[in-house]
Amino acid sequence: MANDILITNIKGLAQVREISPTFLSGAAMGDLPVISNSYLLISDGLIADYGKMENVPSIHAKEIIDASGRFVFPSFVDSHTHLVFAASREEEFVMKIRGASYAEIAAKGGGILNSAKKLRATSEDELFENALERAKEIIQLGTGAVEIKSGYGLTVKDELKMLRVAKRIGKLTPLTVKTTFLGAHAVPAEMKKAEYIKLIIEEMLPAVAEENLADYIDVFCEEGFFSPEETERIVMEGKKQGMKPRIHANQLHRSGGVQVGVKTNAMSVDHLENIGEEEIQILKNTKTMPTVLPGAAFFLNLPFPPSRKMIDEGLPIAIASDYNPGSSPTGNMQLMISMACIKMKMTPEEVFNAATVNTAYAIDLAQTHGSITRGKVANVFVTKPAPSIAYLPYHFGNNFIERVILNGKIIEH
Ligand code: NIG
Ligand code: FE
């Protein structure tokens, strides 16, 4: 066994779980297990051992990192992104500043259709190069595993192109990548909705399945996009092809997305800016992970999801970035957790649980990612010196990470 890295004198080794939980809900979200004055041993790309410094093993490690005054965490798992896109959309940002709404911009051919136009004109290699830059950026910000969606192609060829790029990111970077087919993101300008849904079901889904390009199927369930009935029909067809559902639900309206998600056993329902009592009750005792995307709520000036109330009622919460050019042009999970503390009244313990254990569950990585557990993939980061864990989300806007280790290897800047 190759002892690759020994991290010593850790001020606090956070999110240590002897037995990996499936996910954390309600009061359990408030508990973040930390071992103070500790060590972490990484061997063969995996977490081999950890404990108090007084028990540090006297072994030869290729690399020793002294983490005095610093915390060590498992890397963030970002369970919702649109990381593959062709171009930024700051012109819409300015339109929004001047008073236009997201829905108005979308109705005028901006928004998702604007991204689709640009993506169709971009080659697969160029798209990959663009996405690679974003992948490198989120790695430095502490993300170790990420879900990436299609949904800016809206033709068979371009949806496949996006998913191939996402898969390539998984192969050619240290990130663990899960992919989601989101053909039902918007209806392309050149088609009627019924015709497009037929294309999704009869041509896109079989082609995506044939190349084994997607783990999940997603639909933007929203007024002006896809109705709950259409969402259900599309995800049920995806299920037949082996893709598990996850839903863009309740972003702009009480769209019925949560109800369809629960009914179809979705892995997660994401956004939730517009949910009420009924949706909260429906989510209870289900396996569907309610996922909040603080970047999108902030960027679009939407109400923040009622995470505090949901946790107090016993629900789990996951936090993801929604990295995309239209509603959250950042994949910075550090910023997401700060916003969740500040705008949603989640505690520092809760936000770290939401962005590691719960997001790992949401993309079927609970067995391998999201906590410091023996045998899990050695995806960890070492913070800069910090007085406490609460200081990390408190000192928002600052990169609190000093070193990143993915798959047991130190990532150079
Ligand atoms: O999750 N809401 C739908 N999809 C993305 C935004 C897409 C876009 O505007 O490009 C989201 O916010
Ligand atoms: Fe999204």
Side-chain angles (χ1 to χ4, degrees), residues 16-53:
V16 181
R17 308 269 175 184
E18 280 288 313
I19 298 164
S20 174
T22 324
F23 61 80
L24 300 160
S25 15
M29 285 198 71
D31 179 34
L32 181 72
V34 179
I35 307 180
S36 59
N37 193 26
S38 49
Y39 73 89
L40 175 69
L41 178 66
I42 292 171
S43 299
D44 298 324
L46 302 177
I47 292 169
D49 205 5
Y50 53 79
K52 296 290 274 184
M53 263 319 272

Side-chain angles (χ1 to χ4, degrees), residues 80 82 149 248 271 322:
H80 180 143
H82 310 247
K149 301 175 197 293
H248 274 76
H271 272 293
D322 199 15

Side-chain angles (χ1 to χ4, degrees), residues 206-225:
V208 171
E210 165 78 24
E211 264 189 65
N212 199 14
L213 287 173
D215 304 297
Y216 305 103
I217 177 145
D218 195 344
V219 176
F220 188 18
C221 182
E222 184 55 64
E223 283 179 25
F225 292 84

Side-chain angles (χ1 to χ4, degrees), residues 16 28 49 154 158 195 236 354:
V16 181
D49 205 5
L154 313 180
D158 295 296
E195 203 188 338
M236 291 313 286

